Amino acid sequence: MFHLSEKITNGEVYIIAEMSANHGGSLEHALEIVRGAAAAGADCLKIQTYTADSLTIDCDSEHFKIKGGLWDGYKLYDLYTDAGTPYEWQAQIKKECEDCGMDFLSTPFDRDAVDFLEGIGCEAYKIASFEVVDIPLIEYAASKGKPMIMSCGMASPEEIADAVDACHRMGNTDIVLLKCCSEYPADPEDMHVGNIPDMIQRFGIPVGLSDHSAGSLADVVAVSMGACVIEKHVKLEGVESADSAFSMSLPDFAAMVRDVRAARVIGKGPDYSLSPGEKSSTVFRRSLFAVCDIKAGEVFTEENVRSIRPGYGIPPKYLKDLLGKTSPRDIRRGEPLTADLL
């Protein structure tokens, strides 16, 4: 059972650990990331299902060379060859997730990848930001009737609507959108996490964050804005890969998970009821007390009555009603004033 909808319905945050290329070419590293992500509290481990040939062609033209950024100078075909997760590993990675009590998720990049993932029992599909404009791919994945998680980096509202409509045409309404900034790493000024409430209102479906920024601040802010899913790249210390420069170490990821879950709890509301701890603190509120001995028949004045702590007397809002009245009985200094005196 894939737990995404259950978590969202229960008001919890569903946390995805993205492995991507961070296995560094080693299946044992991949399985170690699975175990580490589960121990850190992730709900799901995500991989990517592609070959270099499914993403691009092997061509030396300048069109196929990356200019600037983290992968400057790389030929696309070579980057995807180096970064891919071999298909023959993926069923084993999925089983490791299941053995650890964690969901498994993958991003397909063509119809063959969807078919392959169907064959190993993948229970949901993630659409990457760069593929959110690939409507035929979205339709094919959505046609399988499984949850669709779609990253929206670089996408205009109209493009996001097109992707959502593609799912709906296939009869699939089990959709989550992820706000994303497609920079690696993402500059905080470019994150625009404040789009999340607008996306929730605009599209009427759950929204989360796919985060490529350093640290966990963006994730905590996103949860405070209503994000119900957080996706973050994770890595093993000392293992270099095409994605390691903008990925989070597993210890830091564990801390992020704690912060994000705490942020969701902290942000609950509106709820004006008092917690047990608050109820016990009300005794330390201010209330009206006699600050001098007051004899029967003596007038209540600002000299013999004050609003002070603790809270055993009547509330301070009654001070004006009390002043000028005469006391019906003797009252000792330090005695709380009660409602019958009004």
Side-chain angles (χ1 to χ4, degrees):
M1 174 184 173
F2 200 73
H3 296 92
L4 175 68
S5 296
E6 176 190 356
K7 284 270 184 177
I8 293 173
T9 300
N10 290 339
E12 300 175 65
V13 181
Y14 187 83
I15 299 178
I16 302 171
E18 162 70 273
M19 182 189 301
S20 191
N22 286 321
H23 50 70
S26 162
L27 175 58
E28 187 46 50
H29 285 159
L31 299 178
E32 189 177 346
I33 288 174
V34 172
R35 294 187 289 269
D43 297 296
C44 179
L45 187 285
K46 189 179 89 67
I47 64 171
Q48 299 181 12
T49 303
Y50 66 82
T51 64
D53 291 301
S54 71
L55 282 173
T56 189
I57 58 173
D58 189 1
C59 180
D60 292 330
S61 163
E62 287 297 312
H63 295 304
F64 295 87
K65 291 182 180 176
I66 300 172
K67 301 171 182 67
L70 186 61
W71 303 294
D72 183 44
Y74 246 114
K75 189 168 73 173
L76 286 176
Y77 191 90
D78 294 340
L79 175 63
Y80 302 140
T81 298
D82 291 347
T85 301
Y87 280 37
E88 58 268 25
W89 295 1
Q90 298 195 15
Q92 191 170 345
I93 292 171
K94 179 175 181 289
K95 183 178 184 305
E96 192 75 16
C97 289
E98 292 164 355
D99 290 346
C100 291
M102 188 166 52
D103 290 341
F104 168 86
L105 177 65
S106 188
T107 301
F109 289 84
D110 68 346
R111 292 168 66 101
D112 288 343
V114 174
D115 292 341
F116 170 81
L117 290 168
E118 284 289 295
I120 66 170
C122 191
E123 297 181 87
Y125 292 108
K126 164 72 190 297
I127 301 298
S129 289
F130 294 86
E131 276 62 44
V132 78
V133 293
D134 190 342
I135 299 303
L137 173 63
I138 294 171
E139 288 179 337
Y140 190 68
S143 73
K144 304 305 177 182
K146 296 173 180 177
M148 295 287 289
I149 303 171
M150 300 194 290
S151 280
C152 302
M154 304 168 290
S156 66
E158 293 75 22
E159 289 168 334
I160 298 171
D162 285 346
V164 172
D165 289 345
C167 295
H168 288 169
R169 281 195 298 276
M170 298 297 107
N172 192 328
T173 58
D174 197 353
I175 306 164
V176 173
L177 301 175
L178 301 185
K179 174 69 185 81
C180 180
C181 175
S182 296
E183 298 175 2
Y184 306 89
D187 187 322
E189 290 190 6
D190 299 334
M191 294 287 291
H192 299 157
V193 170
N195 286 9
I196 289 173
D198 181 72
M199 291 171 68
I200 294 170
Q201 182 177 21
R202 189 185 292 258
F203 300 107
I205 53 182
V207 177
L209 176 70
S210 177
D211 179 26
H212 303 136
S213 67
S216 58
L217 182 57
D219 309 291
V220 171
V221 172
V223 168
S224 74
M225 295 281 187
C228 58
V229 175
I230 295 295
E231 179 186 83
K232 192 84 171 178
H233 283 69
V234 296
K235 67 179 179 180
L236 298 173
E237 295 279 18
V239 176
E240 296 297 320
S241 78
D243 296 331
S244 57
F246 64 91
S247 299
M248 180 176 267
S249 70
L250 284 167
D252 287 346
F253 180 78
M256 184 212 75
V257 171
R258 291 192 296 271
D259 288 347
V260 161
R261 299 213 188 283
R264 174 48 57 93
V265 172
I266 291 167
K268 282 183 178 178
D271 181 354
Y272 295 94
S273 63
L274 301 188
S275 68
E278 274 197 310
K279 287 177 182 176
S280 66
S281 292
T282 58
V283 68
F284 301 113
R285 282 177 157 181
R286 283 177 176 261
S287 66
L288 299 184
F289 270 80
V291 293
C292 302
D293 289 339
I294 302 172
K295 296 187 179 300
E298 191 175 338
V299 175
F300 293 116
T301 69
E302 291 184 349
E303 284 69 42
N304 59 22
V305 174
R306 282 179 56 198
S307 167
I308 59 172
R309 294 184 184 186
Y312 294 105
I314 53 179
K317 68 179 181 179
Y318 294 113
L319 178 61
K320 287 184 179 179
D321 298 329
L322 188 66
L323 295 178
K325 288 185 167 59
T326 56
S327 178
R329 63 175 187 271
D330 289 348
I331 302 172
R332 286 187 169 187
R333 179 178 184 270
E335 185 177 334
L337 302 184
T338 52
D340 63 292
L341 298 174
L342 296 171

